[in-house]
Amino acid sequence: CIRDRMSVGYDISASLSVPLAERFVSINGEGQRAGYLACFIRFPHCNLRCSYCDTMWANETHSSFEEIALVDLVDWVAHAGVSCVTITGGEPLLQRALPDFLHMLDATCPHLWVELETNGSRPLDIYVDMRKAFDAHKGITLSFTMDWKTPSSGMNELMCADNLSLLTKRDTLKFVVGDITDLDQMRTLCEKLDLFKRTNVFISPISGIIDPADIVAYMQEYHLRDARLQLQLHKIIWPHEVKGV
């Protein structure tokens, strides 16, 4: 199948490899596919340093990882017996071989829903073009879960605002919030750009900083009927685990 896709113009080297922080099968803990089993592929390293990061162990320059051939990673996904793949990090868009990996998944497992998680600081445009090509031949369904880093993160000024116009109802825009300032920015931005209607807006609390009930009260006060509160299932089920969940 991979060779067939290569014949239509996309050249993939069999020797390509990527660094991998971890891979596992578990339920998706958040987003549109929450509760469904998924293959998780976590790439190491990130260009941001959010105040509340819960995967810092994968982001440090000295973090440990395995080097794995893309063909072996695709083979692992193909035999996992699930319908969803979540690509996360770190920041996956830092990986130069990510487009190759997506094309290989498309060639081998065209039935998959592939969720690409990104911190919102890197341009998404080339991946939008890729998914149009995937859609045209009924290949993988590529979905973006994009963060918008609010002021509490310390990374708000590094967001790539151009990405917001690229999101659709297939995608998720996630706001992790810690206080009223974060909530106000989320509401103002979404109302200004009509994001509540154009994509799926999820609001997640910073654990231990804001009570989820306060987010619900805010949603009630401002009639945010098209936003969704999100609690991370994996942290509820495995509160003391940071890897493999």
Side-chain angles (χ1 to χ4, degrees), residues 174-233:
K174 183 175 72 174
F175 294 86
V176 180
V177 300
D179 55 29
I180 190 69
T181 299
D182 293 347
L183 286 165
D184 283 343
Q185 186 186 83
M186 174 276 301
R187 177 175 56 87
T188 301
L189 186 67
C190 289
E191 290 178 347
K192 178 181 179 181
L193 300 179
D194 199 29
L195 293 167
F196 288 127
K197 297 295 185 183
R198 290 182 33 240
T199 190
N200 299 287
V201 176
F202 283 66
I203 311 171
S204 293
I206 301 176
S207 179
I209 301 298
I210 187 172
D211 190 327
D214 292 337
I215 299 177
V216 175
Y218 187 94
M219 294 169 67
Q220 292 170 327
E221 179 180 358
Y222 291 99
H223 308 289
L224 303 184
R225 63 182 183 182
D226 294 311
R228 278 185 270 183
L229 173 66
Q230 172 175 265
L231 302 180
Q232 296 174 303
L233 290 179

Side-chain angles (χ1 to χ4, degrees), residues 18-24 40-46 55-60 63-68 73 88-91 95 242-244:
V18 288
L20 197 63
E22 63 175 347
R23 52 176 166 152
F24 57 91
F40 283 82
I41 295 169
R42 185 182 305 281
F43 292 116
H45 312 315
C46 186
T55 54
M56 190 60 72
W57 63 269
N59 298 339
E60 301 293 351
S63 59
S64 61
F65 56 86
E66 65 170 312
E67 195 77 22
I68 184 170
L73 190 54
T88 188
E91 173 47 58
Q95 302 298 325
V242 295
K243 297 182 180 181

Side-chain angles (χ1 to χ4, degrees), residues 6 11-17 70-71 100 104:
M6 288 169 63
D11 184 20
I12 300 173
S13 170
S15 64
L16 275 176
S17 64
L70 287 184
V71 290
D100 302 276
M104 292 174 76

